[in-house]
Amino acid sequence: MSQAESSPSPAAWSGRFSEPVSERVKRYTASIPFDWRLAPFDIQGSLAHAAMLHKVGVLSDQDLADIRRGLGEILADFEAGRFTWNLDDEDIHFNIERALTKQVGDAGKRLHTGRSRNDQVATDVRLWLRDAIDRLQGLIRAARLALLDQAEAHAATVMPGFTHLQAAQPVTFGHHLMAWQEMLARDAERLADCRRRVNRLPLGAAALAGTSYPIDREFVARELGFDGVCENSLDAVSDRDFAIEFLAAGALIMTHLSRMSEELVIWMTPRFGFIDLPDRFCTGSSIMPQKKNPDVPELMRGKTGRMNGHLIALLTLMKGQPLAYNKDNQEDKEPLFDAVDTLADSLAIFAEMVPGILVRAERMRQAAVEGFATATDLADYLVKKGLPFREAHEAVARAVRAAELKGCDLADLALEELRAFSPLVAEDIYAVLTLEGSVQARNHIGGTAPDQVRAAVARVRGRLAAGR
Ligand code: ARG
């Protein structure tokens, strides 16, 4: 798609005007430099509109045949990168109409009967967004599948779980990855929910009040795969809440990817050393030869900022608008387009990166040991033997201090040493103090036990296979 040499042609609405717009105003008001992306959807909408006009007797057989042929050629040109746009024709709708009329003559001029660019653009954006949502769902699915594989492989790999970024209790790496998977599962649900409201037909609202032609909106809705029609013409051409909802769902997706990226960055620092990322996702430093920087997750974290910006942009765009259509709405496109590009790139690269995560299980394990991650298990053990929890907490705190002074793990303290903190401690304590004993004990739905991680993976695999 490229820009044609400007061959000054009067604007489609020029009849009422005594002078052409200035070059600066033309550039300022045109949307064709970015809304060309809507071309295939604009054509799809026009084909359905033309079929409807023919069905209700407004277009002749010959007109419909001409329009179909012309639009087919324009679509082929667009797909082959041959379609050229002209700034004089302001937006994608006028550009396609002009090309059509050039190709098929009068039939092209009849296509716009009973519609306006206002309901046309609202329809195009919804068709485009519906397609984008479907593509993004595929990418979320791929990311979730990648997480399931890694989670299954590391269902029993122990690491410290954190609160306040301080080692808290042992968890399995698989359980941690399944937490990420849950976030993405809800993101997919949100997009599916948003899609239901995107998938309504504005066409037929015309400029704002409807049209006096005997149109059949239900027919057009069915042709275009919409679930139904927008039931108020003023609302149909003016509100962009469906786009705002999408951006809100998108901002949450990026927020989730950003949090995951942040963890990858932390785990990759040599001080943690929990994981490594393949070189293809990292870069070096121009000055420090020893550096390997996790650029990809850092950038993903950073791109969350622009997504949030797009959401705020559309909320602000909408907030002061009186009914019905206002040109302000032309500003909905660039944020939407960039949001979808950013989400698609981020999800695709995340799905590619997850299988490449190299897990350093020994480092994870060592960190859990050094963090006295099984202290809670020792307290629970004492409680089960009858000690009130507050007293158990106190006894274990003293045991941790002793282990810290000795520079060893709780499990390395001798039975006699442990009994000094509570006579309730017996030989069976060692099964509790091990990392494996600790994670295995949390064996209920939602818990970190390896068997629960495997069961969770199986449940999600089942849902994904059933298309949920
Ligand atoms: N390019 C315009 C947009 O994106 C199309 C609708 C223009 N309608 C109008 N009445 N100026 O919103």
Side-chain angles (χ1 to χ4, degrees):
M1 187 93 178
S2 56
Q3 182 171 9
E5 281 299 298
S6 189
S7 55
S9 46
W13 36 257
S14 63
R16 188 211 175 286
F17 290 77
S18 58
E19 60 173 358
V21 295
S22 76
E23 276 304 313
R24 198 190 298 281
V25 168
K26 194 193 288 177
R27 276 201 310 277
Y28 192 69
T29 54
S31 53
I32 185 63
F34 49 87
D35 72 6
W36 58 265
R37 286 210 204 194
L38 297 174
F41 302 93
D42 193 73
I43 291 170
Q44 194 188 355
S46 288
L47 285 170
H49 181 66
M52 183 276 290
L53 289 179
H54 174 258
K55 177 176 172 278
V56 301
V58 173
L59 286 182
S60 68
D61 292 353
Q62 188 58 51
D63 283 338
L64 179 62
D66 287 348
I67 288 170
R68 282 188 170 151
R69 176 171 51 81
L71 288 176
E73 280 165 21
I74 293 170
L75 182 62
D77 281 348
F78 177 80
E79 280 167 355
R82 282 191 307 259
F83 188 79
T84 52
W85 52 261
N86 195 325
L87 201 64
D88 291 314
D89 290 330
E90 196 177 322
D91 58 25
I92 188 62
H93 323 294
F94 277 151
N95 269 272
I96 289 180
E97 193 182 316
R98 174 100 62 196
L100 179 66
T101 303
K102 209 166 115 198
Q103 247 149 318
V104 306
D106 280 355
K109 296 183 189 164
R110 292 203 182 96
L111 172 62
H112 209 54
T113 312
R115 79 174 180 188
S116 149
R117 279 185 300 152
N118 297 352
D119 58 345
Q120 190 178 355
V121 72
T123 303
D124 290 7
V125 172
R126 283 171 186 262
L127 285 171
W128 179 86
L129 186 55
R130 183 179 72 185
D131 177 72
I133 288 174
D134 294 346
R135 277 188 294 121
L136 291 174
Q137 287 288 27
L139 293 168
I140 293 179
R141 185 190 165 85
R144 291 172 68 192
L145 285 169
L147 286 171
L148 293 180
D149 288 344
Q150 277 284 25
E152 198 159 42
H154 291 284
T157 303
V158 180
M159 67 182 273
F162 296 89
T163 60
H164 314 273
L165 205 53
Q166 312 282 326
Q169 292 175 1
V171 295
T172 59
F173 187 55
H175 193 54
H176 195 113
L177 294 180
M178 287 303 280
W180 292 3
Q181 190 287 136
E182 286 289 309
M183 298 178 197
L184 292 178
R186 286 192 302 278
D187 288 328
E189 262 178 48
R190 260 185 290 274
L191 281 187
D193 190 50
C194 169
R195 189 190 193 279
R196 291 172 37 228
R197 282 176 293 280
V198 169
N199 205 28
R200 304 263 164 79
L201 174 77
L203 212 61
L208 75 166
T211 173
S212 57
Y213 293 96
I215 57 171
D216 183 346
R217 299 187 66 206
E218 302 288 349
F219 172 86
V220 179
R222 276 195 305 277
E223 285 283 291
L224 294 174
F226 283 111
D227 295 329
V229 303
C230 300
E231 293 193 1
N232 180 290
S233 63
L234 296 166
D235 175 52
V237 291
S238 68
D239 210 341
R240 296 293 183 265
D241 60 351
F242 65 91
I244 296 174
E245 253 189 77
F246 169 78
L247 290 177
L252 277 172
I253 296 175
M254 287 308 294
T255 299
H256 286 153
L257 292 179
S258 177
R259 297 183 61 197
M260 299 169 200
S261 297
E262 170 69 3
E263 294 192 319
L264 291 174
V265 170
I266 293 173
W267 293 342
M268 216 185 116
T269 62
R271 278 172 194 267
F272 266 74
F274 283 10
I275 62 157
D276 202 1
L277 284 178
D279 288 355
R280 63 183 181 279
F281 298 107
C282 301
T283 60
S285 156
S286 59
I287 169 168
M288 297 164 284
Q290 84 284 14
K291 295 284 296 274
K292 177 174 164 186
N293 299 327
D295 285 42
V296 169
E298 287 172 32
L299 201 50
M300 212 169 282
R301 200 172 56 188
K303 281 181 187 290
T304 310
R306 68 201 274 163
M307 271 298 304
N308 293 352
H310 295 330
L311 170 61
I312 297 299
L314 253 65
L315 281 168
T316 312
L317 171 74
M318 208 67 239
K319 79 169 274 290
Q321 284 194 49
L323 288 174
Y325 176 86
N326 301 282
K327 185 78 163 180
D328 312 42
N329 281 344
Q330 182 164 292
E331 285 287 306
D332 65 353
K333 288 168 202 63
E334 286 163 293
L336 261 187
F337 294 162
D338 186 73
V340 169
D341 290 347
T342 303
L343 285 166
D345 286 348
S346 303
L347 284 165
I349 209 158
F350 183 78
E352 232 172 78
M353 197 162 58
V354 167
I357 296 173
L358 196 112
V359 178
R360 303 215 184 286
E362 225 1 85
R363 290 293 300 258
M364 290 183 175
R365 198 188 163 77
Q366 197 47 40
V369 167
E370 283 163 13
F372 302 108
T374 55
T376 313
D377 297 272
L378 177 53
D380 289 342
Y381 169 91
L382 294 173
V383 169
K384 283 175 196 160
K385 297 226 167 174
L387 204 62
F389 184 79
R390 277 293 148 230
E391 282 177 38
H393 187 283
E394 177 57 30
V396 175
R398 281 186 280 118
V400 166
R401 212 175 320 136
E404 207 168 26
L405 279 174
K406 271 189 91 175
C408 71
D409 180 28
L410 284 173
D412 296 330
L413 294 174
L415 188 57
E416 279 322 302
E417 290 173 287
L418 284 168
R419 285 177 61 84
F421 303 109
S422 169
L424 292 170
V425 173
E427 188 60 47
D428 59 355
I429 187 62
Y430 290 103
V432 169
L433 283 184
T434 62
L435 297 174
E436 281 67 26
S438 172
V439 292
Q440 261 153 30
R442 285 151 173 83
N443 193 12
H444 54 78
I445 187 160
T448 192
D451 283 346
Q452 290 297 335
V453 174
R454 290 185 196 102
V457 169
R459 272 197 309 273
V460 178
R461 275 198 208 289
R463 281 182 207 139
L464 285 176
R468 277 181 293 141

